[in-house]
Amino acid sequence: MNSEALLREGAAALDFPLSPEQAERLMLYFAELRKWMRRINLVARETTTEQLLELHFLDSLTLAPLVAHHPNLHLLDIGSGAGFPGLVLAAVLPEARFTLIEPRQKRAVFLRHVARRLGLSYVQVVEERVETLYAQHQGAYSHITGRAVAEPAAFLAMTEPLTDGGTEVVLFLARPLNLHSLPQQTQARWRLHGERSIALPFSHAPRFLACMRRV
């Protein structure tokens, strides 16, 4: 099975079947990523095609059904790296707004390049640390997320200055969130607003998305 067929099959298994246009953008992104991987450290070079598609592209798409129909979607992806999940989601939701925070210059250059190649005019790449947004951006985003950036309590603390009561912070987890395991201060300030439990389509590795809102 070729890469596009794997991608389409996996996305359908995640309840987010791809249109021809969405699949075309993701495959162009995939091709650019494999080309740039030879020059800069984006993902581990020994990653196989199936692993690259499942552990990065499809894992990012697990969030798509939760945000695709939001009327004013503006997602902030912290520590976007090679664009997971933010740039993947932008490729399938090209009319929504996305801000990708990536302080490492070479990765930021890659993100801007792919956004241009895919014609994603509503993608902004910020080559800074997230703290630079604190002063003026509270409540500017409908959703905030990041993969493998910090433990849940630390990530919630990091993002809190950017949220208001309507902002959802989405935690990417390998198992259901145990709210009682969070520090008391975190429990007092956040509530679970929504969740999604799913297995990745090929490895069947568990994934759990926890959507949190400030109390």
Side-chain angles (χ1 to χ4, degrees):
M1 188 180 298
N2 65 30
S3 298
E4 183 173 348
L6 278 173
L7 180 68
R8 284 179 169 278
E9 179 183 313
L14 297 175
D15 298 322
F16 194 78
L18 299 173
S19 70
E21 294 79 12
Q22 289 170 325
E24 182 180 4
R25 282 192 293 270
L26 286 175
M27 291 312 300
L28 177 55
Y29 179 3
F30 177 74
E32 290 294 325
L33 176 61
R34 295 191 69 180
K35 186 188 335 181
W36 280 61
M37 280 170 57
R38 303 185 196 119
R39 293 181 284 156
I40 65 173
N41 181 26
L42 292 168
V43 298
R45 287 185 174 86
E46 63 271 17
T47 304
T48 67
T49 294
E50 183 173 304
Q51 289 172 332
L52 189 57
L53 288 170
E54 181 180 46
L55 301 180
H56 297 292
F57 284 83
L58 293 172
D59 190 35
S60 298
L61 286 177
T62 58
L63 179 52
L66 295 179
V67 301
H69 303 294
H70 192 282
N72 297 297
L73 179 62
H74 185 179
L75 184 141
L76 173 67
D77 180 19
I78 297 174
S80 195
F84 309 120
L87 196 55
V88 171
L89 294 169
V92 298
L93 302 171
E95 302 304 318
R97 296 175 65 195
F98 292 84
T99 298
L100 313 181
I101 297 286
E102 178 45 59
R104 290 162 290 191
Q105 182 185 37
K106 290 181 179 179
R107 295 186 180 196
V109 169
F110 169 76
L111 294 173
R112 292 189 184 101
H113 168 76
V114 175
R116 286 193 299 269
R117 290 279 284 123
L118 272 56
L120 301 176
S121 58
Y122 295 109
V123 170
Q124 179 187 16
V125 179
V126 179
E127 195 178 322
E128 302 283 353
R129 295 181 62 84
V130 67
E131 292 83 0
T132 63
L133 301 181
Y134 285 172
Q136 299 178 332
H137 289 254
Q138 184 177 26
Y141 309 101
S142 63
H143 297 77
I144 301 173
T145 194
R147 289 199 324 162
V149 174
E151 293 300 315
F155 191 75
L156 292 172
M158 177 194 306
T159 58
E160 184 170 354
L162 295 168
T163 66
D164 59 17
T167 308
E168 289 194 5
V169 176
V170 184
L171 304 175
F172 272 79
L173 305 168
R175 61 185 63 84
L177 178 66
N178 179 2
L179 292 173
H180 298 294
S181 70
L182 297 175
Q184 288 292 328
Q185 182 180 8
T186 305
Q187 293 183 45
R189 297 183 67 82
W190 294 87
R191 62 185 172 86
L192 183 65
H193 181 71
E195 58 188 10
R196 186 182 192 209
S197 184
I198 197 166
L200 293 181
F202 307 131
S203 65
H204 306 295
R207 290 293 184 269
F208 185 82
L209 302 177
C211 302
M212 309 293 291
R213 282 192 180 179
R214 273 175 50 190
V215 174

